[in-house]
Every structure is written in C-alpha cells, then in structure tokens.
C-alpha cells in the first residue's frame, strides 16, 4: 500500500471512530435529558419505559450531565409509559409517549414531590426515626413482610401496637401483606413483652401528631459508575408470587422458589414464557412456600420445603419429584426446613436448618431417607433461645458451615465426627444471613445488621469484611463474579452493590422501584457479569447489566 493510500485509509478509520459515538446515539430508541427547577442537569435519575400491554420494563440512569440513552435494540417501536425514580421528585408532564421507527428524544422535567414519605426506602426510615440502635435494628425484621412506611404512617398508640405485634408474631415467615399465612403453632406471647418496641413505634408514627417531629433523611442519588447500567424487570403472572431464590440454568432459563406457594417457577427471559412446577404437598393445612433453591451438579434442583417438613429434588428432564419427608419424631407442627446443601456427592448426605426456634440442624441420608439431629447452638452463650442459624453451606468435604443470625458467629459441624465449633465474627451483632462456599473452601456471607459483606477462610480461619456504602443497607445475600467483584443487594435500600475486593470501593446501582431483595445470582458466562434477583414483594424478576 502506498503512503498516500495508507494515510487516506488511516483518515477513514479516524473518521469512523469519531463518528461512532454519534451513530450509537442515533441508534438509541429513546434518549434525552432530565432536569428540574432546582437542578438543570440531574444525575442519578432512573428513567423507565414499559411498552403498553407488555410485561417488560427497561430502565437506565442519567449521567453527570443529566442525559440518558437506552441502548439500541432494547425498546421496539410502539406506545410506552414513562416513569422515573429520584427521591424527592416526581414527573412533571405526560407519562404516555411513543417510540417511532427512528426512535424518539425527550427532555424530561421533574418537580418536587409533596409526599416524600411515600418514596422513602426502609433504610431511609431507619435513618430518620428517633431511638437507639437496638430499637432501630428491630425494624430489620419488619421489612420481611412489608415496608416501614406502613409502620410510621400508622396511627396506633402503644397499647394498640402491643396487640398488633402479638398478632404479627403468629404469621408464618412466608407471609407478606397480600398473602398472610398463620403459623400452625401459636407463638403469641404476653402483649406486654412487646411494650418497649410498642413505645418506640408509637413515639415515631402519627398516633399523636399530624406529621413527623423528626426530619426525613434520604440517601443521595447514585452517581458515576453507578449510572452505567441497564435494568430490566419482568413481571410475573400473579401479584402474589414471591420469587425468593433465583437461579439460572445452562440455557439461561430462570428458576425460582416461590416463598408463598407450593410451586417453583420457570421463566424464559427470551420468550417470556412462564410455567409453574407444582411441588407435592404432603401436609395440607400447613403454610405453603419454599425458600432455598439449589442447583445440583446433575442439573436437578434441591428445595427446602419449609413448613411442609421435607426436602424435594426436581429433575427438569423427567419432570419428576423425589421427596424425603422428615420422620414423625422430627416433623412437629413448628418445623420449617429453610436451607439445604448440595454436597451429597461426597458422602450421600444433605445438611439443612430449621427456623422453628430450636436451632436444630438435620442431616439427611439421600439413599436411606434417614434423618439425624445435630444441636450445635447448645455450645453458644444463650443457647438456642439466644442464637439462630440461617445459612448452611457445605465445603469440599461436606462439612457444614453455619451463619449464625442473631449475634456474630460462623459455625462448623464436622461431617465425620459431628463435632461442632463456632468462630466469632469481628463485627458485633453482625447477624450473618445468606452466603455460599467457593471452590477454595472460603465461606462468603452477608452481614444483615452489620451492613457488610465478608469472607471466612475455612482453612486459615481468617475473616475479611467490606462495608457497604449506604447505612442500614441490610444485605441479605452475596455472590462473587469471575473478576473478583462482590455483588450484594440491600434489602432496605433497593440498591445493588458491587464491591471491589482490592480497594473496597463500592458501586451502587439504583433499582427502578421498591424491591424486596432475597437471594442474588450473577451470570458470568459473558464478557460482563449480569446480576439477577427476584422482587419478593413485587412479583417480578430483575436483571442488572453493568455497562463497564
């Protein structure tokens, strides 16, 4: 090639490179800017578009210049409904808009809201209310069933609160406001046992005042890297579906445990086809729903059947269930099998915990169907009454590792000897919740009250913790991607956190609407990680795709 042709060719490449951003912008089906009277360029505003008659909502977030742009191919031509999320603001203008064959642009105007309380997350309520840390921490348990807005907009006085709290104590864990379920065993106590909490709630709600006497504190909007993501939300067919644990199979199909119904769900995000897979109900009359959904190496799924007192194994190839019922001596009315483990390829044994107030751990022999009992909490100060086990995870030898949920311990039960041992976590009252074991036998876990993500090296016994960015974030679960980033989601913040292990830097991605987060999943099959979670109170599946 001659020098002149080479220069011409190089100039052509340069011209294409310069034009590429403009072409990409032109290819966007929907773009524009967001501003308000207070802020001419609003960063961190979530802009959402839902096609009329559809079940998919796509969202992006404005950059530091207040601009947004939906990637090409995410929105097809048609009529849409627009929505935004920016604490303290609401849309000032029409929600309906249309995308033509060549896309559309819009300068979105926002105005100050007159009802900021309706926009506040549970984290923001916990920051705002007046009281010591212990009483604020009690609110962490309330959000499993409903938002804290309901609590602090209420007008119950202290006496009324004692009755309400007594009634709520008898709702099963699988309950939420659209589908309460009563426990088979009455856990009600003397209403006066709730007096201290009742006083706290009555002093912070609207029982004696027309508005709150304390300032309503809000989180700053996300910025920088946190604005660079696409969020897609898929609505499920029934409003009462509670997608608790969300996992992907090798074909990219979503499977989830339904926390309130006797099914596991199957959803294909490509075809938008949904299917209920019924779980056999062996104890009619007890609360329904399942919690832990684990993928086994053979492609089957293991399910903790909670109040049904059993462990289930579903084979999607044959559409057949295998159920291991607990024997009568263990299967009492208050039994609740939450977590199950998949290390039984080592020795044929499945570990599980129960949320029945005993702290008992059981181990199932999948070949004989025999269950055996372990009681590790007897080793801790306060015993089963003062401690609780949440996550149970197996290491490479199928030893059981336990996340203690009321205080700050990690436990271990030796698979061969049955010996139990506990190790304290540095953060006091961390309330360790969900987690998982990696290939190096490191136990990763979320600190629900501690507001941190952590890892316990089961060989060196070293623990490392990383704090999340937002106060009272209440991470339920975590997962690491192949690049080493830690992903978690705040059950109280409606934000997904991405933590750099080396630097501790936290990137937060804002979810478009209130999302009661439970177990999280990262699809690492592509060039960039893709984060998935179920909205346990919103009857939807949520996908977060970071752009960098």
């Amino acid at each position: 090639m001659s020098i002149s042709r080479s220069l011409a060719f190089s100039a052509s490449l340069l011209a294409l490179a310069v034009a590429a951003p403009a072409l990409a912008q032109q290819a966007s089906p929907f773009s524009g800017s967001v501003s308000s009277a207070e802020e001419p360029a609003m960063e961190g505003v979530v802009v959402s578009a839902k096609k009329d008659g559809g079940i998919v909502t796509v969202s992006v977030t404005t950059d530091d210049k207040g601009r947004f742009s939906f990637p090409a191919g995410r929105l097809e031509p048609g009529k849409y409904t627009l929505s935004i999320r920016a604490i303290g603001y609401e849309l000032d203008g029409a929600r309906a808009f249309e995308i033509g064959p060549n896309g559309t642009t819009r300068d979105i105007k926002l105005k100050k809201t007159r009802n900021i309380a309706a926009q506040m997350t549970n984290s923001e309520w916990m920051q705002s209310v007046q009281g010591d840390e212990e009483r604020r921490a009690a609110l962490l348990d309330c959000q499993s069933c409903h938002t804290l807005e309901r609590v602090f907009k209420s007008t119950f006085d202290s006496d009324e609160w004692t009755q309400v709290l007594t009634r709520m104590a008898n709702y099963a864990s699988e309950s939420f406001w659209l589908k309460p379920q009563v426990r088979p065993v009455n856990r009600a106590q003397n209403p006066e046992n709730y007096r201290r909490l009742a006083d706290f709630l009555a002093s912070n709600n609207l029982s004696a005042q027309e508005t709150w006497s304390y300032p309503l504190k809000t989180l700053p909007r996300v910025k920088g890297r946190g604005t660079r993501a696409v969020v897609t939300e898929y609505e499920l067919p029934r409003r009462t579906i509670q997608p608790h644990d969300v996992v992907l199979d090798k074909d990219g199909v979503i499977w989830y445990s339904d926390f309130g119904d006797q099914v596991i769900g199957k959803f294909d995000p490509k075809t938008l086809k949904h299917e209920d897979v019924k779980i056999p109900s062996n104890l009619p009359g007890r609360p329904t729903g399942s919690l832990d959904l684990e993928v086994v190496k053979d492609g089957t799924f293991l399910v903790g059947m909670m109040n049904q007192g059993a462990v289930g194994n579903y084979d999607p190839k044959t559409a057949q269930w295998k159920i291991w019922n607990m024997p009568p001596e263990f299967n009492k009315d208050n039994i609740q099998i939450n977590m199950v483990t998949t290390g039984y390829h080592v020795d044929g044994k499945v570990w599980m915990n129960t949320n029945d107030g005993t702290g008992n751990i059981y181990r199932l022999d999948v070949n004989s169907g025999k269950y055996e009992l372990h009681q590790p909490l007897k080793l801790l100060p306060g015993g089963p009454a003062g401690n609780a086990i949440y996550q149970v995870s197996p290491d490479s030898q199928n030893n059981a590792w336990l996340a203690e949920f009321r205080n700050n311990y990690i436990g271990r039960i030796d698979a061969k000897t049955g010996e139990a041992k506990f190790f304290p976590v540095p953060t006091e009252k961390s309330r360790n919740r969900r987690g998982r074991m990696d290939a190096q036998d490191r136990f990763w876990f979320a600190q629900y009250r501690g507001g941190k993500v952590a890892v316990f090296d089961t060989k060196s016994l070293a623990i490392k913790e990383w704090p999340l960015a937002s106060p009272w974030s209440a991470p339920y679960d975590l997962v690491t991607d192949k690049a080493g980033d830690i992903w978690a989601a705040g059950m109280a913040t409606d934000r997904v956190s991405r933590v750099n292990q080396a630097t501790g830097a936290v990137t937060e991605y804002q979810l478009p609407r209130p999302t009661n987060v439970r177990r999280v999943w990262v699809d690492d099959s592509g060039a960039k990680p893709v984060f998935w979670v179920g909205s346990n109170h919103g009857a939807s599946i949520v996908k977060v795709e970071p752009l960098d």
Side-chain angles (χ1 to χ4, degrees):
M1 181 181 292
S2 68
I3 294 178
S4 60
R5 289 181 63 192
S6 176
L7 290 173
F9 181 68
S10 299
S12 298
L13 288 179
L14 179 61
L16 285 172
V18 171
L23 290 173
Q25 180 68 17
Q26 291 171 6
S28 171
F30 182 34
S31 60
S33 63
V34 177
S35 63
S36 65
E38 295 76 16
E39 298 180 60
M42 299 185 69
E43 182 180 14
V45 177
V46 180
V47 179
S48 303
K50 180 184 178 184
K51 191 174 184 183
D52 292 1
I55 66 167
V56 180
T57 301
V58 183
S59 304
V60 296
T61 305
T62 56
D63 63 16
D64 58 351
K65 294 180 176 58
R67 300 177 304 194
F68 67 91
S69 179
F70 285 74
R74 297 304 178 98
L75 301 175
E76 60 186 16
K79 295 181 178 180
Y80 284 81
T81 297
L82 172 70
S83 58
I84 65 97
R85 186 172 196 181
I87 186 70
Y89 289 89
E90 59 188 50
L91 190 63
D92 186 9
R95 295 186 176 276
F97 73 101
E98 189 167 354
I99 296 177
N102 298 318
T104 189
T105 61
R106 178 169 172 177
D107 294 328
I108 299 172
K109 303 296 182 183
L110 304 186
K111 61 182 179 181
K112 283 282 191 178
T113 184
R114 292 188 294 176
N115 185 15
I116 195 171
Q119 298 181 345
M120 288 173 58
T121 64
N122 292 337
S123 167
E124 290 164 328
W125 280 110
M126 283 187 274
Q127 292 177 63
S128 300
V129 296
Q130 304 298 293
D132 59 32
E133 184 180 352
E134 280 300 315
R135 280 184 278 191
R136 293 180 194 226
L139 300 172
L140 290 169
D141 294 328
C142 301
Q143 64 182 351
S144 293
C145 298
H146 53 73
T147 66
L148 296 183
E149 178 195 8
R150 290 171 172 257
V151 175
F152 297 111
K153 277 190 172 180
S154 72
T155 58
F156 298 130
D157 62 20
S158 181
D159 289 338
E160 290 169 322
W161 268 120
T162 63
Q163 301 302 316
V164 170
L165 293 170
T166 302
R167 171 171 54 82
M168 288 182 175
N170 280 320
Y171 287 143
S173 304
E174 301 94 318
S175 298
F176 80 128
W177 76 91
L178 289 178
K179 190 179 180 180
Q181 299 191 69
V182 179
R183 297 182 186 277
V185 174
N186 191 316
R187 286 191 180 182
Q189 304 178 40
N190 181 343
E192 285 304 310
N193 291 347
Y194 298 108
R195 178 62 67 182
R196 186 168 182 266
L197 179 56
D199 288 344
F200 166 63
L201 298 179
S203 68
N204 279 283
N205 72 353
L206 301 180
S207 59
Q209 52 200 8
E210 291 186 0
T211 189
W212 299 277
S213 60
Y214 45 87
L216 300 182
K217 299 177 181 178
T218 60
L219 293 171
R221 299 194 302 269
V222 299
K223 60 183 180 178
R225 192 185 190 193
T227 67
R228 292 187 46 75
V230 180
V231 180
T232 308
E233 185 174 15
Y234 305 90
E235 291 181 13
L236 297 173
R238 297 183 304 280
R239 184 63 186 86
T240 54
I241 292 177
Q242 298 180 67
H244 198 285
D245 281 25
V246 170
V247 303
L248 271 70
D249 67 18
K250 60 181 179 58
D251 298 317
V253 174
I254 298 289
W255 295 79
Y256 65 85
S257 56
D258 189 328
F259 199 45
D261 205 354
Q262 206 61 16
V263 299
I264 57 175
K266 179 182 179 183
F267 176 73
D268 189 334
K270 299 183 184 70
T271 65
L272 305 185
K273 181 181 178 181
H274 180 273
E275 178 185 350
D276 286 328
V277 177
K278 292 187 177 181
I279 303 175
S281 179
N282 55 316
L283 292 172
R286 285 195 188 181
T288 56
S290 58
L291 197 154
D292 194 8
L293 179 67
E294 298 287 345
V295 184
V296 187
K297 285 187 174 183
D298 61 6
T300 63
F301 297 98
L302 211 61
V303 183
M305 292 171 55
M306 299 193 75
N307 284 278
Q308 294 297 308
V311 174
N313 179 247
Y314 179 72
D315 187 339
K317 294 179 181 177
T318 63
Q320 297 297 312
W321 282 95
K322 184 173 184 180
I323 304 294
W324 292 279
N325 294 313
M326 297 193 81
E329 63 267 28
F330 296 149
N331 202 350
K332 307 301 183 183
D333 284 342
N334 63 340
I335 200 72
Q336 185 175 311
I337 298 176
N338 288 356
M339 309 300 169
V340 290
T341 64
T342 59
Y344 57 89
H345 61 279
V346 175
D347 56 9
K349 306 292 179 64
V350 172
W351 296 94
M352 69 202 73
N353 76 333
T354 58
N355 185 29
D356 58 2
T358 66
N360 289 342
I361 300 293
Y362 294 90
R363 185 164 63 163
L364 163 70
D365 186 317
V366 297
N367 297 309
S368 68
K370 180 181 178 181
Y371 282 80
E372 62 185 46
L373 171 64
H374 296 260
Q375 297 179 301
L377 289 184
K378 290 183 175 182
L379 298 176
L380 289 178
N387 302 275
I389 302 297
Y390 209 89
Q391 182 68 49
V392 183
S393 293
D395 64 19
S396 60
Q397 303 303 308
N398 207 22
N399 301 305
W401 288 87
L402 318 171
E404 194 279 317
F405 187 51
R406 289 190 184 170
N407 295 292
N408 55 302
Y409 295 98
I410 296 297
R412 176 185 185 270
I413 302 178
D414 189 284
K416 294 181 179 178
T417 67
E419 179 185 8
K421 188 173 183 179
F422 284 91
F423 310 88
V425 172
T427 298
E428 291 290 332
K429 298 288 185 180
S430 54
R431 295 194 69 182
N432 311 315
R433 203 156 189 175
R434 290 296 285 274
R436 61 200 79 200
M437 193 72 64
D438 68 15
Q440 301 176 50
D441 275 351
R442 296 179 301 177
F443 183 45
W444 296 84
F445 59 97
Q447 298 183 3
Y448 186 62
R449 177 173 170 178
K452 300 176 182 178
V453 289
V455 62
F456 182 94
D457 189 318
T458 64
K459 297 174 182 176
S460 69
L461 305 184
I463 298 177
K464 187 171 183 179
E465 302 173 320
W466 295 265
L468 299 185
S470 296
W472 294 106
S473 56
Y476 178 88
D477 186 27
L478 83 173
V479 64
T480 57
D481 64 26
K482 61 187 177 186
D485 283 350
I486 308 166
W487 292 80
M491 194 169 169
T493 59
D494 302 332
R495 295 186 179 191
V496 173
S497 295
R498 182 182 189 178
V499 184
N500 183 301
Q501 286 190 49
T503 66
V506 181
T507 300
E508 289 189 320
Y509 303 101
Q510 179 70 64
L511 296 175
R513 69 186 184 104
T515 306
N516 191 267
V517 166
R518 302 300 169 99
R519 190 134 219 214
V520 300
W521 184 275
V522 165
D523 178 8
D524 242 349
S525 60
K528 298 183 182 70
V530 178
F531 177 93
W532 293 88
V533 73
S535 179
N536 195 63
H537 293 171
S540 65
I541 305 294
V542 181
K543 176 175 66 172
V544 179
E545 299 172 272
L547 299 178
D548 57 13

